[in-house]
Amino acid sequence: MARVIEGFLTPPQGRFALCVSRFNGFITEQLLRGAQDALLRHGVADGDIDVFRVPGTFELPGLVRRVAEGGQYAGVVALGCVIRGGTPHFEYVAGEVSKGIGQIALTAPCAVSFGVLTCDTVEQAVDRAGVKAGNKGADAAMACLEMVNLYARIAEVGKKR
Ligand code: INI
């Protein structure tokens, strides 16, 4: 019978880094709150969570790469918010952060998750930061927790059958 290997939502060994941008802080602070709350309520100790801040979402990939590759964390969560304005700036920032975090997630020695909002309006961002559409920071933290567990299980299940 085929084995199904999934990550659990139990607290793993290891620390978590929450990397958050200050730009659009009225949204990103809510994403951070949601991510912290999700980890704490799944048994991660407060002392095992570190918060790193960057000026804007564009700066997130540079930070996340250094934090993820440093080997001190089991999971890294990127939290930011890009809101479309009247110029193409949005496209560049949103494109760079999604591409950058995506590349890091592929090769990092730990789990990396993407809690960056890319919204057309402020209202869309508010809805995703703890109002109508949940809290995407909490969702990203949960995904990170699951992937930390899953990565740990790959080595485990490879040994036994
Ligand atoms: N940074 C954001 O996090 N969100 C935005 O919506 C945004 N817009 O639209 O300008 C933004 N710009 C700043 C950018 O992330 C960098 O901090 C800046 O360009 C300096 O490198």
Side-chain angles (χ1 to χ4, degrees):
M1 175 132 168
R3 293 184 298 177
V4 177
I5 319 298
E6 293 175 291
F8 299 124
L9 296 176
T10 47
Q13 294 288 321
R15 304 176 62 75
F16 284 81
L18 305 179
C19 299
V20 57
S21 80
R22 266 190 245 106
F23 202 105
N24 291 327
F26 70 109
I27 297 291
T28 62
E29 287 303 312
Q30 294 309 309
L31 299 177
L32 174 62
R33 188 192 55 75
Q36 279 174 315
D37 181 60
L39 292 179
L40 292 173
R41 286 190 299 107
H42 283 81
V44 177
D46 192 36
D48 284 337
I49 302 172
D50 291 326
V51 176
F52 292 83
R53 293 184 196 275
V54 289
T57 299
F58 183 82
E59 281 73 38
L60 276 175
L63 172 72
V64 168
R65 186 174 72 78
R66 285 163 176 78
V67 170
E69 289 178 359
Q72 290 167 306
Y73 294 94
V76 182
V77 184
L79 301 166
C81 173
V82 197
I83 301 175
R84 194 182 291 279
T87 71
H89 195 68
F90 167 94
E91 317 287 349
Y92 295 115
V93 176
E96 287 306 312
V97 69
S98 49
K99 192 174 64 188
I101 302 291
Q103 282 173 355
I104 297 157
L106 283 179
T107 57
C110 63
V112 174
S113 70
F114 187 70
V116 177
L117 300 180
T118 54
C119 299
D120 289 329
T121 65
V122 170
E123 189 188 3
Q124 285 177 351
V126 170
D127 283 348
R128 287 158 181 75
V131 188
K132 284 188 222 159
N135 185 309
K136 300 300 175 193
D139 293 350
M142 295 298 291
C144 193
L145 189 57
E146 182 173 337
M147 294 307 289
V148 169
N149 275 275
L150 180 59
Y151 288 172
R153 293 196 70 205
I154 293 172
E156 225 178 88
V157 297
K159 288 184 211 145
K160 54 187 174 194
R161 176 78 185 185

